[in-house]
């Protein structure tokens, strides 16, 4: 365990990634031992090596273990809560902020609609990344998580892969009652460079949210995200 954390610390100190030889030398291990430990950390989803023989980098796996209680998550809530309120006022539907947490997404913040028939999304609640609009929006900018899901759940990933690719092109994800019957959702990624930090979703009864309406809301949410990011 101690040696594994040594490797994580070495990689964390190299923002552009570190090669096996450098990691082994810095940790005082032979390359075979370091390679075996790194392979285990890869299997657990804490490090990745995007190209064979290339550098190792950290994933968000460790961060996701503390999802919902980290300083980073508190800052996300503070930054985007006004946008959630504004979106709910403009659309009349429940709006929520979510982040990836292993193979799920976790709701960090939510503003409920006032309509008697509305969707309640509890803060701290989790649902799968695969098959949901908010999950697909998050996966659109998280290639490390996509690779992990493709390895761990190949059939489920195969069913969602084309949808995630379409989200990358469109800039938003739609669910017209596919995951929860009679509930529709549109989700927009919150990006930091090429990486998706979080996603904002708007969800409610399908009777009020046909596909055309969801696409209109997507434009509104993207504008609100941009404004919040540059505030």
């Amino acid at each position: 365990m101690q040696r594994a954390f040594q490797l994580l610390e070495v990689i964390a100190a190299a923002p552009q990634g570190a090669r096996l030889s450098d990691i082994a030398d810095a940790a005082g291990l032979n390359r075979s031992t370091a390679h075996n430990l790194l392979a285990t950390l890869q299997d657990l989803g804490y490090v990745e090596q995007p190209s064979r023989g290339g550098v190792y980098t950290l994933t968000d796996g460790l961060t996701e273990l503390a999802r919902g209680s980290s300083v980073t998550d508190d800052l996300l809530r503070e930054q985007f809560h006004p946008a959630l309120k504004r979106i709910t006022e403009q659309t009349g539907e429940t709006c929520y902020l979510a982040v990836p947490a292993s193979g799920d997404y976790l709701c960090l913040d939510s503003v409920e609609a006032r309509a008697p028939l509305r969707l309640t999304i509890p803060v701290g609640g989790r649902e799968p990344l695969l098959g949901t609009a908010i999950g697909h929006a998050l996966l659109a900018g998280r290639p490390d998580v996509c690779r992990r899901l493709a390895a761990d759940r190949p059939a489920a990933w195969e069913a969602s892969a084309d949808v995630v690719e379409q989200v990358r092109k469109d800039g938003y994800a739609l669910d017209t009652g596919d995951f929860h019957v009679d509930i529709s959702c549109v989700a927009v990624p919150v990006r930091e460079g090429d990486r998706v930090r979080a996603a904002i979703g708007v969800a409610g009864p399908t009777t009020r949210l046909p596909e055309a309406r969801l696409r209109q809301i997507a434009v509104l949410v993207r504008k609100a995200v941009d404004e919040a990011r540059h505030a």
Side-chain angles (χ1 to χ4, degrees):
M1 178 71 72
Q2 182 179 354
R3 292 186 298 180
F5 275 104
Q6 277 184 291
L7 302 190
L8 291 173
E9 289 173 351
V10 171
I11 299 171
Q16 304 305 315
R19 295 190 175 278
L20 172 61
S21 56
D22 297 327
I23 296 170
D25 291 346
L29 300 173
N30 64 55
R31 295 187 185 183
S32 176
T33 299
H35 182 269
N36 289 339
L37 286 170
L38 288 167
T40 299
L41 291 170
Q42 273 188 284
D43 289 341
L44 293 171
Y46 297 133
V47 303
E48 64 173 347
Q49 187 184 36
S51 60
R52 187 177 179 84
V55 299
Y56 289 87
T57 59
L58 296 183
T59 69
D60 289 332
L62 291 173
T63 302
E64 291 171 5
L65 289 178
R67 276 303 187 192
S69 60
S70 70
V71 172
T72 299
D73 290 341
D74 288 341
L75 291 174
L76 279 171
R77 291 188 192 94
E78 182 179 344
Q79 181 179 11
F80 288 100
H81 186 76
L84 301 190
K85 290 181 64 178
R86 188 164 62 253
I87 292 167
T88 293
E89 290 169 358
Q90 293 173 331
T91 64
E93 304 294 348
T94 296
C95 184
Y96 60 111
L97 174 70
V99 291
S102 190
D104 300 328
Y105 71 78
L106 181 144
C107 177
L108 282 185
D109 195 9
S110 176
V111 177
E112 287 190 17
R114 295 182 180 180
L117 181 61
R118 63 181 182 272
L119 183 65
T120 298
I121 302 174
V123 173
R126 292 177 179 244
E127 287 198 325
L129 288 171
L130 293 175
T132 60
I134 201 87
H136 294 159
L138 290 166
L139 290 171
R142 305 296 288 262
D144 55 326
V145 182
C146 290
R147 284 190 289 270
R148 191 161 74 238
L149 289 172
D152 294 344
R153 302 178 59 193
W157 168 251
E158 185 64 26
S160 295
D162 290 344
V163 178
V164 173
E165 182 57 35
Q166 190 62 46
V167 176
R168 292 192 183 105
K169 297 175 182 177
D170 295 340
Y172 59 88
L174 300 179
D175 176 357
T176 53
D178 298 319
F179 190 76
H180 289 301
V181 176
D182 298 328
I183 297 295
S184 291
C185 178
V186 58
V188 172
V190 176
R191 294 184 175 273
E192 188 174 81
D194 292 333
R195 195 166 184 77
V196 172
R197 295 177 62 202
I200 290 178
V202 175
T206 299
T207 53
R208 292 203 303 260
L209 293 174
E211 185 173 329
R213 176 60 176 153
L214 291 175
R215 294 187 187 278
Q216 292 174 346
I217 292 174
V219 175
L220 184 155
V221 176
R222 291 176 72 176
K223 180 181 178 182
V225 168
D226 287 341
E227 290 174 350
R229 289 180 61 241
H230 296 101

